[in-house]
Amino acid sequence: MITDLLIDEGRKAEYYRKGYWDEKTLNDMWDATVARFGDCEYVSDDRGQRFTYKEVDDKASRLASWFKEIGIENGDVISWQVPIWADFTYVYVAALKVGAVMHPLPRNFNEEDLTYVMNVVESKAFITPTFYWKTDYEQQMKNFIDRVPSIKGVALMDKDAPVKDTSYKSVAQIIETYEPLTEKPESKADEVACILSTSGTTGKPKQVLLTHNNLKFSERVYVQGVQRTKADVMIMMSPLNHATGFFHGLLSNMMMGARVVLQEHFEPAHAVELINREGVTWSHGATPFVYDLLNYMEETGNEVPSLSIFICGGAPVPPAMIRRCWDHLFLLSESYGSTESCPHIYVPPHHVVSWNGEWSGIPCEGIEVRVVDPDHNEVHRREQGEECSRGPHQFVGYLNNPEANAKSLDADGWFYSGDLCFMDEFGRIRINGRMKEIIIRGGENISAVEIDNNVKEFEGIKDCATVGMPDRRLGERICTFVVPEDGQKCPTMEEIQKFLDSKGVQKRNWPERIEAIDEIPYTLSGKVKRYILAKEIKERLKDEANERRFI
């Protein structure tokens, strides 16, 4: 069992006293939902699968029996690598039923990634497809599994190909032949319920520890803030190993007894068809999903009348996108958080239109947010600094990583996000991007995200992202990569500067170079991979210098 969790006893007592935390586990929540809404549909996917809460419970109970048979005990870690399939639900519930720690992994982790993270968490069981999306997962598993000595059992999901090595069980075989587990788990609410791997763009992923109480509180205030109920239907297009897909997609709706529609591969025409066919009322995802949906709707005239709100996380939301969504009669509400500190800032639905992207939001109930300087002293209102937060939602440490814990968490329980922001006198917060996304031009700090949001309003630009480019005199200058709309030429720097001047944007925030590019590189959670663009502009500058040498 994972111990040495970073939970302050004083705050723990306060959270219990205020009712933020209680003794119930996620398995208790699941049992209560099945008792109340067992015959209601929980999840469907675009493979045609539809499961009620009772159907998921039955499948999970049978899989849990196999977990018990191979020796899984309370606090052991179960890892799985499952696509955006409805099957994901009975895997996570089966883990809860034996008191195991849930450890969903990205679909794109290769054998080296899997070997590393599964040894860090000491996985006891592993579930993976036989084959999916051009990848032979069964062979990949066989290539590395002997290097994870803690493993007690492997089961394969044979949805796209039969199991080749019959010494391994298929999940379908387990569900068909095992009797449902009836005994209750020994898990406690303040034990680790889930480990998520961070989705950083460089370095080894850190393993984020979250308790049952962390997740229950986070998802409860999340759905209350955006005013969702059991009557709502969500579409989820994000990977289910992320906080967005798993926690906001599956757990929050489970806690309400609501319904989730999964889209395996995002494609805007199919997403619109699913939204209309299933009566979808809300979603949560990164900005690229919204861009593609809006572009498709405006090109075809197809609308989504049932959709009332799209919660957007992963990056600050441009005002132009908010206005475009409102033109199609649904709200685009920004949400801010991280794997370690699940959404704790959000824009209330009734403020979406009036705030128009000027603010990332206000803190959720029970969560504290401060803006601090490099010495962690609180700055004045409307002064820029680093965002930090503290509350019942917050992770309880990185597994086996004291250095990262010491860097991100202080003795008073504040988590330092590495994001720049400022707060006004009403407590409204504006996230300006990562501290690493700051361009230092002649000693002046300039937000790349702020420039992106301004440039995106230029007509004919589909997407853009700004980075610092090397400059001998100033250290860095401002370079914006632009993806033109289909069939349109890339605007010139002079055209964009003239546009920004007409909008009253200060000259210090004007791009000094425009580069055309086919697409902006993003992580799966919607963050721009600016390090790739920074490398690209260095290569282009080098090529230019070489060309000048031979002229």
Side-chain angles (χ1 to χ4, degrees):
M1 181 179 294
I2 299 169
T3 56
D4 300 325
L5 308 183
L6 302 180
I7 302 177
D8 179 84
E9 290 301 318
R11 283 192 301 281
K12 176 180 175 180
E14 178 187 354
Y15 297 157
Y16 271 94
R17 186 174 64 253
K18 290 182 175 180
Y20 296 154
W21 287 359
D22 58 34
E23 301 290 345
K24 293 181 180 179
T25 65
L26 285 169
N27 188 68
D28 294 328
M29 301 290 288
W30 171 260
D31 286 344
T33 297
V34 173
R36 292 184 65 195
F37 308 116
D39 293 326
C40 298
E41 186 175 298
Y42 176 25
V43 63
S44 63
D45 62 28
D46 47 7
R47 285 180 167 241
Q49 297 189 112
R50 291 184 181 274
F51 301 145
T52 66
Y53 281 95
K54 278 184 180 177
E55 288 170 335
V56 172
D57 190 64
D58 180 69
K59 293 175 186 292
S61 297
R62 295 173 188 274
L63 183 57
S65 289
W66 178 72
F67 286 151
K68 294 294 286 188
E69 180 182 88
I70 65 174
I72 301 298
E73 299 177 351
N74 186 65
D76 285 346
V77 176
I78 295 175
S79 302
W80 66 88
Q81 193 176 27
V82 176
I84 307 176
W85 295 343
D87 308 81
F88 189 104
T89 55
Y90 60 74
V91 177
Y92 93 75
V93 175
L96 293 176
K97 284 180 176 290
V98 294
V101 178
M102 304 176 290
H103 185 225
L105 292 165
R107 295 165 295 172
N108 62 351
F109 266 21
N110 60 27
E111 58 191 73
E112 296 306 319
D113 299 322
L114 293 165
T115 303
Y116 171 77
V117 298
M118 288 172 65
N119 276 313
V120 170
V121 304
E122 297 183 356
S123 303
K124 296 297 195 296
F126 182 51
I127 293 178
T128 189
T130 52
F131 190 90
Y132 173 72
W133 203 243
K134 304 178 182 179
T135 300
D136 188 337
Y137 284 89
E138 180 177 353
Q139 187 59 51
Q140 177 175 269
M141 176 274 297
K142 294 179 72 173
N143 291 345
F144 82 86
I145 203 67
D146 289 343
R147 288 180 274 155
V148 186
S150 57
I151 283 290
K152 295 180 177 181
V154 172
L156 297 164
M157 283 190 172
D158 52 345
K159 302 182 77 64
D160 288 351
V163 177
K164 291 181 291 188
D165 187 339
T166 54
S167 64
Y168 294 101
K169 289 184 181 291
S170 79
V171 173
Q173 176 189 14
I174 292 169
I175 291 172
E176 184 178 336
T177 58
Y178 279 69
E179 290 299 313
L181 182 71
T182 56
E183 63 185 87
K184 298 296 183 184
E186 299 174 0
S187 50
K188 305 296 181 186
D190 291 317
E191 293 174 354
V192 174
C194 186
I195 302 174
L196 289 189
S197 296
T198 56
S199 60
T201 54
T202 59
K204 293 289 188 182
K206 298 187 286 290
Q207 307 305 305
V208 177
L209 305 175
L210 295 150
T211 69
H212 294 264
N213 267 326
N214 290 151
L215 295 176
K216 288 188 310 168
F217 175 85
S218 172
E219 297 315 299
R220 185 171 64 249
V221 298
Y222 164 71
V223 296
Q224 288 173 351
V226 296
Q227 300 169 14
R228 299 298 96 186
T229 69
K230 183 190 180 306
D232 284 294
V233 179
M234 171 182 261
I235 187 169
M236 178 50 63
M237 304 88 93
S238 296
L240 300 179
N241 62 282
H242 282 196
T244 298
F246 188 9
F247 301 161
H248 316 330
L250 298 180
L251 291 186
S252 69
N253 284 285
M254 178 273 285
M255 291 168 62
M256 296 188 293
R259 183 159 71 93
V260 190
V261 178
L262 303 178
Q263 186 178 18
E264 183 179 3
H265 300 294
F266 176 71
E267 195 279 320
H270 184 42
V272 168
E273 189 270 326
L274 280 173
I275 290 169
N276 290 328
R277 187 181 75 207
E278 301 288 340
V280 167
T281 61
W282 71 307
S283 188
H284 188 135
T287 51
F289 292 132
V290 186
Y291 269 120
D292 289 350
L293 279 173
L294 289 170
N295 289 339
Y296 170 77
M297 292 164 63
E298 289 164 3
E299 289 167 5
T300 64
N302 292 330
E303 296 293 335
V304 284
S306 63
L307 188 68
S308 63
I309 190 168
F310 197 113
I311 316 301
C312 203
V317 177
M321 186 186 290
I322 293 173
R323 293 193 295 271
R324 288 175 71 193
C325 290
W326 187 234
D327 286 342
H328 294 278
L329 304 181
F330 66 92
L331 298 171
L332 183 64
S333 173
E334 185 170 335
S335 173
Y336 167 78
S338 63
T339 306
E340 299 90 339
S341 183
C342 272
H344 55 277
I345 293 171
Y346 74 107
V347 176
H350 59 278
H351 285 311
V352 166
V353 176
S354 61
W355 288 3
N356 193 33
E358 293 181 13
W359 302 100
S360 302
I362 56 175
C364 296
E365 175 193 356
I367 296 173
E368 302 171 82
V369 174
R370 297 196 308 168
V371 185
V372 299
D373 63 19
D375 296 320
H376 292 176
N377 298 311
E378 196 161 3
V379 302
H380 296 295
R381 294 299 170 101
R382 294 187 179 270
E383 183 178 330
Q384 185 163 268
E386 182 180 6
E387 190 271 350
C388 63
S389 60
R390 181 172 73 176
H393 67 302
Q394 189 171 287
F395 81 128
V396 293
Y398 299 110
L399 181 63
N400 299 333
N401 199 334
E403 296 83 5
N405 286 331
K407 183 178 179 180
S408 298
L409 290 162
D410 69 16
D412 294 320
W414 291 97
F415 169 66
Y416 295 90
S417 66
D419 287 329
L420 287 167
C421 74
F422 61 89
M423 181 189 295
D424 75 355
E425 57 274 16
F426 303 108
R428 297 181 297 185
I429 297 149
R430 175 63 186 172
I431 302 295
N432 288 334
R434 298 290 294 168
M435 293 170 69
K436 295 177 182 177
E437 292 176 333
I438 289 299
I439 299 167
I440 305 176
R441 183 187 186 282
E444 186 176 25
N445 291 343
I446 296 168
S447 169
V449 175
E450 186 176 348
I451 294 170
D452 292 349
N453 289 341
N454 289 328
V455 173
K456 280 175 183 173
E457 296 201 31
F458 186 92
E459 187 175 351
I461 289 181
K462 184 177 181 180
D463 201 2
C464 69
T466 303
V467 295
M469 62 179 182
D471 184 82
R472 289 182 179 178
R473 178 171 175 267
L474 296 175
E476 289 183 311
R477 286 187 182 271
I478 303 167
C479 173
T480 300
F481 283 86
V482 168
V483 181
E485 290 282 5
D486 295 340
Q488 299 199 30
K489 66 180 182 66
C490 184
T492 65
M493 183 179 69
E494 291 74 16
E495 289 171 335
I496 288 179
Q497 288 182 345
K498 183 178 180 180
F499 167 77
L500 295 176
D501 188 30
S502 71
K503 300 286 289 185
V505 176
Q506 293 180 341
K507 191 173 182 179
R508 62 186 289 274
N509 286 332
W510 293 3
E512 297 169 287
R513 184 182 178 110
I514 298 296
E515 289 287 325
I517 195 168
D518 291 336
E519 63 179 359
I520 302 297
Y522 288 96
T523 67
L524 289 175
S525 58
K527 296 180 176 66
V528 176
K529 295 181 180 179
R530 294 185 198 268
Y531 71 97
I532 292 178
L533 298 177
K535 182 179 179 181
E536 176 67 20
I537 187 58
K538 287 180 181 178
E539 290 298 321
R540 295 188 186 190
L541 290 172
K542 186 187 300 183
D543 290 343
E544 284 183 7
N546 288 335
E547 287 177 10
R548 284 195 294 269
R549 287 173 56 196
F550 295 103
I551 293 177

